[in-house]
Amino acid sequence: MAHLRRRGTTSGGIRRALVAALGAALLALPLAAGPVGATVILREHYSNDYAFSFDDCGYWIDVSGHNEGIAELRVGTGDLATAFFLHDNYSFLETWTRRDTRGFFTVGGNGLFQETKATPVEGTIFAFTSVNAGQPFVVRDSDGNVIVRDRGVIRQVIEFDTLGDDVPGGAFITDVSFSVSGPHAGLDFDLCSVLA
């Protein structure tokens, strides 16, 4: 059940999608608003409530959650002029409820995600290096007891095609590397087992 663990917290492709979303907000701003040499092109507080349901565990689970944070978007210069870097200080909390039994648990996280480097690979393709630090994944049972708590640092490198324009976003190509420092039992944790 790989898609049920760490939903989006370490995926470079998901974070790159956030870059594209912030880029859409950027298009609504006048580009001349900041100093010519500035590398920070957008800083935004976000806050969202969301809900969805799925039956991948063999029974229906209803999820409701809230995420918030401060995201900052920077643009590279010179050979990196089409590379956009995300800095996201995030937190989220979700309640996962088994529909038939009403049993539930919570999944949350609080961390700092930073794209720290872009290395040209070929044409408009770059290898983006990111660091995700903090407690990106904490599972608690219905009594509030911690079942799993990840903490430390996750480093990831992905290849991404910026499409060569001056607009954030592009196309995810592949994962290059993934390394973990600190306890991250959540990477192999089956969330379905909590409500089984």
Side-chain angles (χ1 to χ4, degrees):
M1 298 271 168
H3 62 282
L4 293 179
R5 50 174 196 182
R6 310 307 297 266
R7 196 177 48 77
T9 59
T10 61
S11 170
I14 298 292
R15 291 290 178 183
R16 291 263 92 209
L18 181 55
V19 169
L22 287 171
L26 171 65
L27 293 176
L29 299 174
L31 291 176
V36 174
T39 57
V40 175
I41 58 173
L42 182 67
R43 181 176 167 87
E44 181 177 290
H45 177 269
Y46 62 89
S47 179
N48 302 295
D49 292 317
Y50 55 91
F52 60 92
S53 299
F54 64 92
D55 66 351
D56 296 12
C57 294
Y59 45 83
W60 279 99
I61 295 179
D62 298 317
V63 179
S64 62
H66 177 81
N67 67 359
E68 64 181 76
I70 298 174
E72 184 176 275
L73 195 58
R74 296 176 179 267
V75 63
T77 58
D79 291 344
L80 302 178
T82 66
F84 293 83
F85 301 86
L86 178 62
H87 176 111
D88 183 13
N89 189 347
Y90 67 89
S91 66
F92 73 97
L93 182 62
E94 299 176 342
T95 300
W96 291 41
T97 305
R98 182 169 170 165
R99 193 178 291 176
D100 58 353
T101 66
R102 304 309 297 161
F104 72 93
F105 63 90
T106 63
V107 178
N110 188 336
L112 177 61
F113 175 88
Q114 297 182 79
E115 288 177 316
T116 59
K117 181 179 175 184
T119 304
V121 174
E122 177 183 357
T124 59
I125 298 172
F126 293 86
F128 281 90
T129 300
S130 66
V131 175
N132 192 4
Q135 292 187 43
F137 188 71
V138 180
V139 179
R140 295 178 186 271
D141 66 18
S142 58
D143 293 324
N145 301 311
V146 173
I147 299 171
V148 174
R149 181 190 315 269
D150 288 2
R151 56 191 176 277
V153 175
I154 296 173
R155 288 181 177 78
Q156 185 173 22
V157 178
I158 64 166
E159 283 189 4
F160 189 84
D161 189 344
T162 66
L163 306 180
D165 56 24
D166 61 355
V167 178
F172 172 79
I173 297 172
T174 189
D175 286 305
V176 175
S177 67
F178 185 86
S179 63
V180 176
S181 299
H184 284 82
L187 289 172
D188 296 317
F189 185 71
D190 180 7
L191 289 170
C192 292
S193 67
V194 180
L195 295 175

